[in-house]
Amino acid sequence: QLQLVESGGDLVQPGGSLRLSCEASGFSLDYFIIGWFRQAPGKEREGVSCIDLEGNTYFEDSVKGRFTISRDSAKNTVYLQMNDLKPEYTATYYCAAENRIGVRVFSPSDYHYWGQGTQVTVSS
């Protein structure tokens, strides 16, 4: 059974940092495009970052220079390092996986496998 589990969400002050983890079981993340998405209350789910099969990384404009994404094959885990956090980043963060060709990296509907989400709250 393919499963994704996110962790690392927390309450953090503005300007702080968090590292989110997305651990896979039942399949190897090395063969999947992994995307991070977030959804705030009353808003649509939006793409934040993505790492593709070649290790190329993508970031939504507002998080460029603040977030990094990386893959640890030995742990079958993808990480999202988030620095200089802003209150507007408060949301539930989800990781998603897809192995089809032609995935639009920031389109939630293009991903088949999803985790349950982890809450990130940025507040003083």
Side-chain angles (χ1 to χ4, degrees):
Q1 183 179 358
L2 280 64
Q3 189 174 15
L4 295 169
V5 178
E6 303 97 331
S7 61
D10 205 346
L11 170 63
V12 63
Q13 293 187 345
S17 297
L18 283 174
R19 188 178 78 161
L20 305 184
S21 300
C22 172
E23 183 175 5
S25 60
F27 66 105
S28 172
L29 288 179
D30 287 349
Y31 302 104
F32 284 75
I33 296 169
I34 306 299
W36 280 98
F37 295 80
R38 64 188 176 194
Q39 188 167 19
K43 294 189 176 181
E44 293 187 354
R45 192 167 296 188
E46 63 175 359
V48 175
S49 183
C50 171
I51 184 166
D52 68 16
L53 300 180
E54 289 75 34
N56 299 311
T57 58
Y58 306 85
F59 299 94
E60 187 270 333
D61 285 346
S62 73
V63 306
K64 287 180 180 177
R66 291 186 168 87
F67 290 12
T68 58
I69 187 171
S70 60
R71 190 198 315 259
D72 185 332
S73 298
K75 295 183 179 180
N76 209 24
T77 299
V78 169
Y79 300 100
L80 183 68
Q81 177 67 44
M82 308 188 297
N83 299 325
D84 191 20
L85 287 164
K86 298 180 177 182
E88 53 262 43
Y89 294 166
T90 294
T92 301
Y93 283 69
Y94 301 88
C95 67
E98 182 57 59
N99 62 352
R100 292 180 298 110
I101 295 174
V103 172
R104 293 168 294 177
V105 296
F106 288 153
S107 175
S109 62
D110 281 18
Y111 288 79
H112 187 72
Y113 303 102
W114 289 85
Q116 83 291 345
T118 186
Q119 179 65 37
V120 172
T121 302
V122 185
S123 174
S124 55

